[in-house]
Amino acid sequence: MKITQISLNNFRQHRNVRIELDDSHSSFTIIKARNGAGKTNLLKAITWVLTGKLAKDESKFDPISLVSISASNEASKGEVLEVSVKLDLSLGDGKYAQVERSARFIKSGTGTQNLSLSTTELTVVLLEDKAKGWQKESNAELWIEKNFPERFSHYFLFDGEHLHRFFKDTEAEFVKRAVLEIANIDQLEKIVEHLKTVSQSLVKEAGSVAGVKGEELRKLYEMFEEKILSLEKELATKCESRIELDENLAAASEKLGDIQAIKKDIANRNQLEIRAQAASDRGMDAKKELYSWAFKTGPGLMLQQELIRLNDEINKARINKVLPPPFKPEALQELLDKNECICGRGLDKQSDSCNHVLGLLEKFTDLSEIGTILNDLQGPLQGVKSKIDNSSDMLRSTQERILIAKDDESKAMEELGIIIRKLANSDDAHVSFIAKTHEDTKRDLERTILSIGGLEQQLIQTKERLSDVQRDIENEAATKERSRIALQRQKFAAQTLETAEQMYEDFSNQVRAKVAKDLDAEFQAMVWKKDFFQPVQIDSDYKVLVFNKLGVEIRNMLSAGETACLAFAFSLTLSEVAGFSYPMVVDSPLGRLDAEVKEFVSGVLAKALESDPDSEGKQILMLMTDSEYNLDVADALAHMNPKVLEIVFDQDVSESRLVNIS
C-alpha cells in the first residue's frame, strides 16, 4: 500500500493543498517546513482520515479545531463549511482506492468560532477492475479497519519526538495487539474466548441438574463468575488509567526537564533580585551618610580659608603675647578693697597707684573677655579643622562604598536581565503548576500500580475458587444420572478449549519469535555497534527487550539514536510480518538526535527503504524541520533521490502552500 496523493480542504492552515508523493518502487518523500507551518498538522490530517483521531493519545478533541481560520473568517452566517482529507492509495496489482473523511459545519454567527458540527462522513471508493470502474465500498469503516487497523496505525503514523516512549512498559499491550492482528492470530484469540464462555455455561448446566447441592454450587459458581467479571472490568479500567497516567507522566517529565532548568533560573533570579536590592540599599545608606556629612561639614568647607586664617591669628596672638594669660580679677579687687598693694604701698583713692590698678583691672577685664572668647572658639575651630583635614579620606571612603555598591548592583542587574529574558515566556505559577502536576501524576501512578497488583492477586484467588467450585460441581454431577450427559458435553468443550488455547499459545509464540528475529535483524543492520547487542527479544508479555553482551537489559538506557533505530526497525518488521508494506509517515524523525546521529539514522532509513525489485516496495514520508534536513542529512539521502517539498506558511492569511523543491 502506498499513498500517491494527499488532498486537504479547509483542514486547519491547509486551506486547499494537493500533495503528490513519490510513486516509485522505493517511495521516499520529504516535506520540510518551519515550526508552525503545518508539518505536524499534515500528520494529524493523515491520522484523522484513517482513524477519526488526531493522534493515538488525542482521541478527544474539539471538531471545530479542524476548521481553517481563514475559511471560517470568510464564511457568512448560515453558510456550510466542509473540512475534508482524501488519500489516494495504490494497493498494488493495479488496484487503487480513495479514502476521504469529511466534516461539515454551519456558521452560526459572525465570530471565527461560531461554528456547529453538522455531519461527518467516511467514504471509500475502489478501483479493482478497470472495466467496472470505481466502486463505492458499502462499509467504509470495516474496509479501513481491515486494511489499516487503528491499533496498528500507531506504528506507522507517529511523532518522532516521542520515539523514546515507543517501547515503554505500558505499550506492551499495543505491541501484542499489533503483532497478533497482523498475523491474524487475534481471530483465534476470539475463538478461545468463545470456547471459555461455552465451557462455563456447560459447567453451570451440569450443576443445575445435579440436585439441590448442585444447584447451590451453580449459584456459587455464578457468584464467582460475576466477581471475576467485575474484577476484570475494574482491572481493565485501572490499566487504562495506568496507561493514561504513564503518558501524562511522560509528558510532564518531558516538560519537567525544561521546568527544572526554569526553576533553577527562577531561584537564581530571586537570589539576584535580593543581591541587587542589597547592593542598592548599601549604596543608598552610603549616600545618606555622605549627605549627612556634607550637611555638617559643608559650611566649614566653604569657610575653610577664613577659619584657617582665624586659627592662625589666634596662635600668632598667643605667641606674641597679645592675648593675656589667665588671671583672677578678684585679686586686684581685693587690693583696692584693702587700699594696700602686695608690696606694702598704700593704695589711697585718687592716688596714682590706685588709679593705675583700676586701669589695669578695667583693661585686663576687657582683654580677658576677648581672650576667653578666642580660647573658647579655638576648640571648635580645631574640631572643624580636623573634620576638614579628614574630609578627603571620608569623601573617598564613602564614594568608594557607593561605587562598589553601584557596581555590585549593576552586575546583579546584568545577570538578572539575562535570566529575565530567558524566563520571558515562563510564568512562575505555570512552572509551579507543571512541577506539582508531575508530582501528583507520579503519586497517582504509584497508587494505581499498587491497586492493579492488588486486583490481579484478587483475580488469581477468585479464579482458583471458581476452579474449586467447578471440581465440586463435576464431582456432584458424576453421582447424578441426569447431569452426566451435561458433564460429558462440558468435558468435551473443556478439551476443545484446551486444544484451542494450546494452538493459540503455539502460534503466538511462533509469531512472537519471528517478529523478535526480524526485529533483531533490522535493528542490528541499523546500529553501528555490531558486537555490542545480544539478539533483541520480545517476552511473553510482549515487552521488547534489548540486552548487551554482558546480558544486561538496557532498552531504557539506549541512546536517542538507538531508540529511533529500534522504533523504525519495529515498524519495518511489522510490514514484513504482515506480508505487505504500509506507508510510514513520521513527523520530526530526527528531532531529538544529535547532528552526527541525524546523519547516521537518515542513512539507515534510506537503506531500510531499499527493497527487492519484485516486491511491492516501501514508502516513507518524512516531515522535517530545516534543522533536521540539513546538508549532511541531504547528502546521506541523496542516493535515494527523494522527492523534496516545502510547506510555506503565509501569516497574512493564516494559510499554507506547497513548494516543489526537487
Side-chain angles (χ1 to χ4, degrees), residues 548-565:
N548 62 16
K549 285 299 183 182
L550 299 177
V552 179
E553 207 287 310
I554 58 170
R555 192 199 69 203
N556 292 329
M557 293 182 282
L558 294 178
S559 68
E562 290 165 343
T563 302
C565 288

Side-chain angles (χ1 to χ4, degrees), residues 105 285 287 408 484 514:
F105 301 84
D285 290 342
K287 287 179 181 179
D408 289 346
R484 285 175 184 166
K514 176 173 174 50

Side-chain angles (χ1 to χ4, degrees), residues 257-296:
D258 298 330
I259 290 300
Q260 295 291 12
I262 292 174
K263 287 179 70 178
K264 184 177 180 181
D265 285 338
I266 289 175
N268 288 338
R269 181 198 65 190
N270 295 339
Q271 289 298 319
L272 286 169
E273 287 176 344
I274 293 172
R275 273 178 51 194
Q277 186 59 49
S280 177
D281 291 343
R282 291 201 313 273
M284 187 59 67
D285 290 342
K287 287 179 181 179
K288 287 179 180 178
E289 290 181 24
L290 182 62
Y291 297 152
S292 176
W293 172 84
F295 180 78
K296 293 177 180 179

Side-chain angles (χ1 to χ4, degrees), residues 446-459:
E446 290 172 351
R447 290 174 180 170
T448 301
I449 291 174
L450 287 174
S451 179
I452 288 173
L455 288 170
E456 288 175 338
Q457 191 60 36
Q458 288 184 57
L459 192 58

Side-chain angles (χ1 to χ4, degrees), residues 133 176 200 233-234 236 277 304 329 387 584 600 602 652:
K176 179 180 180 180
Q200 290 172 347
K233 184 178 180 180
E234 186 177 357
Q277 186 59 49
Q304 182 178 8
K387 288 183 180 180
M584 184 187 298
F600 172 73
S602 57
D652 293 334

Side-chain angles (χ1 to χ4, degrees), residues 57-75:
D57 54 356
E58 197 175 347
S59 57
K60 297 179 181 179
F61 61 92
D62 184 358
I64 295 174
S65 68
L66 302 177
V67 183
S68 162
I69 294 175
S70 59
S72 180
N73 285 335
E74 293 176 11

Side-chain angles (χ1 to χ4, degrees), residues 450-510:
L450 287 174
S451 179
I452 288 173
L455 288 170
E456 288 175 338
Q457 191 60 36
Q458 288 184 57
L459 192 58
I460 291 172
Q461 293 173 355
T462 307
K463 286 182 176 180
E464 289 175 351
R465 295 291 305 277
L466 185 71
S467 296
D468 292 341
V469 174
Q470 180 174 335
R471 282 194 295 272
D472 292 341
I473 289 176
E474 290 173 353
N475 292 334
E476 188 66 24
T479 64
K480 303 292 189 299
E481 185 67 28
R482 290 181 58 196
S483 58
R484 285 175 184 166
I485 296 175
L487 187 60
Q488 289 174 355
R489 293 169 60 197
Q490 186 276 326
K491 288 186 177 298
F492 176 76
Q495 291 173 355
T496 305
L497 172 61
E498 183 179 352
T499 302
E501 286 178 329
Q502 189 60 52
M503 289 174 59
Y504 172 76
E505 184 177 355
D506 291 343
F507 286 151
S508 296
N509 289 337
Q510 290 174 20

